[in-house]
Amino acid sequence: MDLNIRGLGKAFGGTVALHPTDLTVRQGSFTTLLGPSGCGKTTILRMIAGLETPDMGTISMGEEVIFSGPSKRVVPTHQRGFGMVFQDFALWPHMTVFENVAFGLRAGKRTSKIRETVMEALDKVKLTGMHDRYPHQLSGGQQQRVAFARAVAITPRLVLFDEPLSALDAVLREDMRVEMMSLVRDLGLTALYVTHDQIEAMSMSDEVVVMNSGRILQSGTPEEVYGEPSDAFVARFIGKSNWLVPDHTMFRPEHLLWDRTGEDCHSFMVEITHVSYVGERYELRVKAEGHGEQWTAYHHTRLAVGTKREVYLPHHRLHHLVESK
């Protein structure tokens, strides 16, 4: 079943958190809401979960309406059949791992074969043998696995992720990203994931929904929103972008070439103003003659600051769009 929201809106006091919004999350897909803090992505997630009440619109799962402003229908959170993984894990410190995972099952009065269900969920997240431990006896990554096991133990129709990896260190976050994505796919779950981290969004998602100021600006595959941004904010927020002002024409740093190819190219004389070593390559800031903005470029060796070089940009790598108002 697809999740459908139509005309969903929310304001807190006089501040609009979400303008009337439409969104469809396809069954079996991994969809990510991506945007800066305050863009409305968490507000959408909490309204879907039933933790916030929308001011308007409808939310449905397949043919089942779980919220309707016009008909004043509100299905309680515990009856929606959704799992949720929170940013701060939200584990009960006085409960064992087993009881934390069993919490949703007991709340939903699904106590038949509860031990078997809990142990199976723990096995899926690689926590076999840890059911008697308490949260404080686990690492951050293990606590996150417990939170995920609790979400999937109820066999949810949809799993909601509220920036679940932000509390982890960088190395563990990358490992958990791969594990979480694999588990979602292996279990055939439908997932809606909220993050401000573009790497998480681009690497995990079937569809990325980019938001800003309470509105959806663009949705599409990671390749589409990166390669063909429809909005200047999207182009700047996802990856690095170089701009030919004032024409609102952009290109990505990796498309700026140091050697001429057989393609039709624009050429620019640039001066290198800054060089950073980032591991697999050098990241350079360059100033092009006749252009006000500095650009980002990549090179496989260190070039000296002050060096002037001719660079080339294939015509087909330019992307034209309209600046956001």
Side-chain angles (χ1 to χ4, degrees):
M1 295 178 289
D2 295 345
L3 173 76
N4 294 290
I5 69 174
R6 296 292 179 264
L8 203 67
K10 179 68 177 179
F12 296 98
T15 302
V16 177
L18 183 70
H19 295 274
T21 295
D22 295 346
L23 175 67
T24 297
V25 178
R26 302 296 180 189
Q27 181 177 2
S29 70
F30 197 117
T31 301
T32 296
L33 302 179
L34 173 66
S37 297
C39 72
K41 57 188 186 296
T42 297
T43 299
I44 290 180
L45 199 78
R46 290 178 62 83
M47 289 191 291
I48 293 170
L51 302 177
E52 296 283 358
T53 302
D55 295 335
M56 64 185 75
T58 62
I59 306 172
S60 60
M61 195 72 182
E63 298 298 319
E64 180 190 355
V65 176
I66 60 177
F67 173 84
S68 174
S71 63
K72 302 188 183 303
R73 173 174 172 76
V74 181
V75 174
T77 299
H78 67 278
Q79 293 180 10
R80 297 190 180 193
F82 299 161
M84 190 159 184
V85 182
F86 295 91
Q87 179 178 347
D88 59 357
F89 313 145
L91 302 179
W92 298 103
H94 64 287
M95 291 184 180
T96 64
V97 167
F98 182 96
E99 289 302 326
N100 268 285
V101 176
F103 183 83
L105 295 167
R106 297 193 196 281
K109 299 181 179 179
R110 298 167 56 181
T111 55
S112 175
K113 298 184 178 178
I114 191 168
R115 182 172 181 80
E116 178 182 328
T117 302
V118 170
M119 300 305 277
E120 181 180 352
L122 290 174
D123 181 61
K124 288 175 181 175
V125 299
K126 302 179 182 178
L127 290 178
T128 303
M130 297 188 180
H131 57 283
D132 287 333
R133 296 190 185 183
Y134 288 87
H136 73 272
Q137 297 174 310
L138 305 176
S139 67
Q142 289 170 334
Q143 290 182 50
Q144 189 56 271
R145 288 189 179 96
V146 175
F148 187 63
R150 180 180 57 195
V152 302
I154 63 172
T155 316
R157 299 187 291 177
L158 172 70
V159 182
L160 305 170
F161 295 93
D162 185 13
E163 303 206 42
L165 305 182
S166 60
L168 306 178
D169 64 65
V171 174
L172 183 56
R173 188 161 62 243
E174 184 173 351
D175 291 341
M176 285 298 298
R177 186 167 67 231
V178 174
E179 284 190 27
M180 190 171 292
M181 181 174 61
S182 297
L183 279 167
V184 167
R185 303 231 191 289
D186 291 347
L187 296 174
L189 299 172
T190 303
L192 183 60
Y193 193 98
V194 161
T195 185
H196 64 272
D197 188 318
Q198 58 178 271
I199 294 177
E200 285 184 15
M202 300 296 279
S203 63
M204 299 176 73
S205 310
D206 299 310
E207 182 171 17
V208 177
V209 179
V210 185
M211 299 186 64
N212 191 38
S213 301
R215 302 181 190 275
I216 291 176
L217 301 182
Q218 184 175 359
S219 61
T221 66
E223 293 84 357
E224 288 170 345
V225 296
Y226 180 81
E228 300 178 10
S230 62
D231 182 275
F233 175 86
V234 177
R236 289 189 170 99
F237 190 76
I238 296 180
K240 296 181 183 296
S241 57
N242 296 322
W243 295 82
L244 296 173
V245 292
D247 301 323
H248 308 314
T249 301
M250 57 81 66
F251 62 94
R252 297 296 186 182
E254 62 269 23
H255 297 148
L256 198 62
L257 308 177
W258 297 91
D259 298 298
R260 185 181 290 276
T261 67
E263 302 174 285
D264 291 333
C265 292
H266 299 280
S267 64
F268 306 93
M269 183 60 67
V270 301
E271 179 179 351
I272 298 168
T273 61
H274 184 78
V275 179
S276 298
Y277 179 58
V278 293
E280 75 280 9
R281 64 191 177 197
Y282 291 88
E283 186 173 293
L284 289 70
R285 297 290 286 170
V286 301
K287 183 173 178 58
E289 292 182 0
H291 295 273
E293 288 195 16
Q294 292 200 40
W295 296 339
T296 300
Y298 302 138
H299 202 274
H300 63 283
T301 60
R302 180 181 289 275
L303 300 178
V305 171
T307 299
K308 293 186 177 181
R309 289 278 299 268
E310 190 170 16
V311 294
Y312 307 94
L313 178 66
H315 290 172
H316 71 277
R317 295 301 190 180
L318 287 172
H319 183 69
H320 305 275
L321 42 75
V322 177
E323 183 73 23
S324 295
K325 295 182 180 180

